[in-house]
Amino acid sequence: MMLFVFSILCAFVQVTCLNPRSHWTLLPHILVLNVDGTLGQYPLSCLEEDPLKRDNHTQEIFWRRNGVEEAQRGNTHMVQLVESFGGGNYTCHREDGTLLNHTEVLIMQDESKRRRILVKTEQEYLKCSTQNYNGEFHCSWTWHSSRVNHNFLCVCSVDASDQHWMCTSAHRNFSCSVDGSRSGVSCRDKQHCPFAEEKQPIHMTVYVRTDHFLLESYSKLFLLSEIVKPDKVRIGKVNTTVVEWSYPSSWSTPYSYFPLTFQIFQVRGRCRKCENPCAGSKPPKALTIHSTDICQFKVKHKVKAVCVRAKDALCDSEWSEWSHVRLVKKYKQHKKYA
């Protein structure tokens, strides 16, 4: 099972827990503390200490949280946890100000708590889709309107632009790039074989945090066959009574191995001013056609437009968006002269 992790900072610290709350390292120099809202403390250690060789130098260590000097001194600093607060950028220094160590402490609340950073779209936080079986897919999310400043991270190697990642697992090698809006990511499995049976699902986990160091995670588990949605069908008019359509240019080939099922809807009635006569259509008498080649279709009398969409013929996945062609010309009204 592949795991993608998107987040933003780095930190390392040695921690021992004085109460039953859990803690884990998201990335080097990123520590996550799981809390339940009650009061608590967590000790951070600046330097590794040999208990048999302790000296007074560690007592000279002072700490800063988000750049502000703390009153506590010594090699250990107690992080004070109050509800979802306590996170921050903790640094420890020698008496002369030299930086010794640093850690980014992120707070993660119980998942039963109300989510604050992303909002659901169509009953899910992450929306993932692919146009074919070539190993590429895209996942997107919607930020809460109150989250003007938001951050997310990737547990992968990052280039200087902070826009591209290389993500590896025991079975696959992924390359990912973040959208300019920072509301989605496009990934490609470099070792994907479109002709092989999918046995291992992709597990996408997105980590996002607020400026107050509150961390939330959002996950989605899927196979490419479950999220595939073909591009629009290419459709045209042969003559006034026959239309023709073909597979989307982005669909996987050969079509005999990756067949599509087509749904055809003939539009009657008055819809000459509609930019898209298929929009919002729930065709009561749509025809279904299975074909691995270019299709031609003879339309019925008085049909003004034909709508066609497609889906994978071998799995229960999404239909493409409707494509349409008009069969009725628009005539200009001529003025009557006296």
Side-chain angles (χ1 to χ4, degrees):
M1 184 180 297
M2 282 58 62
L3 174 64
F4 284 78
V5 183
F6 288 89
S7 33
I8 241 199
L9 305 170
C10 295
F12 172 77
V13 71
Q14 297 175 344
V15 180
T16 57
C17 187
L18 297 182
N19 54 45
R21 297 180 185 87
S22 62
H23 65 276
W24 49 282
T25 301
L26 177 62
L27 287 172
H29 296 288
I30 296 184
L31 175 71
V32 180
L33 302 181
N34 293 90
V35 302
D36 58 11
T38 59
L39 297 178
Q41 292 182 328
Y42 279 83
L44 305 184
S45 296
C46 180
L47 302 174
E48 289 189 30
E49 279 189 302
D50 185 343
L52 300 179
K53 296 182 179 181
R54 290 184 177 177
D55 53 38
N56 295 327
H57 293 293
T58 58
Q59 300 304 316
E60 300 172 355
I61 293 173
F62 70 92
W63 292 78
R64 287 175 180 161
R65 179 190 176 200
N66 301 329
V68 179
E69 187 170 338
E70 298 274 274
Q72 295 186 48
R73 299 274 172 162
N75 191 57
T76 301
H77 180 85
M78 300 302 294
V79 176
Q80 305 299 319
L81 300 174
V82 181
E83 295 183 347
S84 62
F85 299 99
N89 183 14
Y90 291 84
T91 57
C92 56
H93 307 259
R94 296 187 189 277
E95 192 174 21
D96 61 4
T98 303
L99 178 66
L100 296 174
N101 204 345
H102 66 102
T103 182
E104 198 80 33
V105 176
L106 301 179
I107 305 299
M108 177 173 279
Q109 292 182 301
D110 189 284
E111 290 189 1
S112 63
K113 301 290 185 181
R114 180 174 62 88
R115 298 301 183 93
R116 304 179 182 181
I117 305 178
L118 302 186
V119 296
K120 282 187 176 181
T121 302
E122 297 179 357
Q123 303 303 312
E124 57 184 355
Y125 289 106
L126 300 182
K127 175 67 175 179
C128 299
S129 64
T130 180
Q131 300 171 340
N132 50 49
Y133 288 102
N134 295 341
E136 299 177 352
F137 61 91
H138 180 266
C139 291
S140 60
W141 50 86
T142 301
W143 299 100
H144 192 281
S145 57
S146 64
R147 299 299 170 190
V148 178
N149 297 318
H150 41 256
N151 297 304
F152 71 101
L153 308 157
C154 177
V155 180
C156 309
S157 59
V158 187
D159 70 1
S161 69
D162 195 32
Q163 296 291 306
H164 301 275
W165 293 281
M166 294 297 299
C167 312
T168 59
S169 71
H171 303 278
R172 298 182 183 179
N173 184 4
F174 291 89
S175 64
C176 299
S177 61
V178 64
D179 297 351
S181 63
R182 302 183 72 82
S183 295
V185 64
S186 298
C187 297
R188 181 168 68 92
D189 181 359
K190 293 186 175 182
Q191 297 176 329
H192 175 73
C193 176
F195 302 101
E197 179 184 358
E198 286 187 280
K199 294 182 178 179
Q200 293 181 320
I202 296 171
H203 186 187
M204 171 73 80
T205 298
V206 175
Y207 286 93
V208 291
R209 78 164 183 86
T210 68
D211 289 340
H212 299 291
F213 302 95
L214 177 65
L215 182 72
E216 291 180 356
S217 65
Y218 302 84
S219 298
K220 187 176 181 67
L221 191 69
F222 59 87
L223 298 169
L224 293 182
S225 59
E226 295 172 339
I227 65 169
V228 68
K229 179 180 179 179
D231 278 336
K232 282 187 173 183
V233 173
R234 295 176 291 178
I235 187 171
K237 183 168 59 175
V238 177
N239 53 48
T240 57
T241 60
V242 177
V243 298
E244 179 181 272
W245 67 85
S246 58
Y247 276 58
S249 59
S250 60
W251 188 246
S252 300
T253 57
Y255 300 147
S256 58
Y257 194 86
F258 301 99
L260 290 176
T261 294
F262 299 94
Q263 194 173 60
I264 303 95
F265 175 49
Q266 302 182 70
V267 181
R268 302 192 183 196
R270 301 181 62 181
C271 194
R272 295 186 180 182
K273 294 183 180 180
C274 298
E275 293 183 2
N276 185 356
C278 316
S281 295
K282 294 183 179 180
K285 296 182 179 180
L287 300 175
T288 301
I289 295 177
H290 303 277
S291 175
T292 58
D293 204 346
I294 295 175
C295 298
Q296 289 192 348
F297 182 78
K298 185 174 179 61
V299 300
K300 294 181 179 180
H301 185 55
K302 294 184 178 181
V303 168
K304 294 181 172 60
V306 176
C307 304
V308 180
R309 63 180 180 176
K311 63 173 290 187
D312 190 327
L314 303 179
C315 65
D316 185 18
S317 55
E318 276 194 87
W319 287 97
S320 70
E321 300 298 322
W322 288 103
S323 299
H324 75 277
V325 61
R326 293 182 179 277
L327 300 174
V328 177
K329 295 182 179 179
K330 295 182 179 180
Y331 295 96
K332 296 182 179 179
Q333 292 183 351
H334 298 280
K335 294 182 178 179
K336 294 182 178 180
Y337 296 92

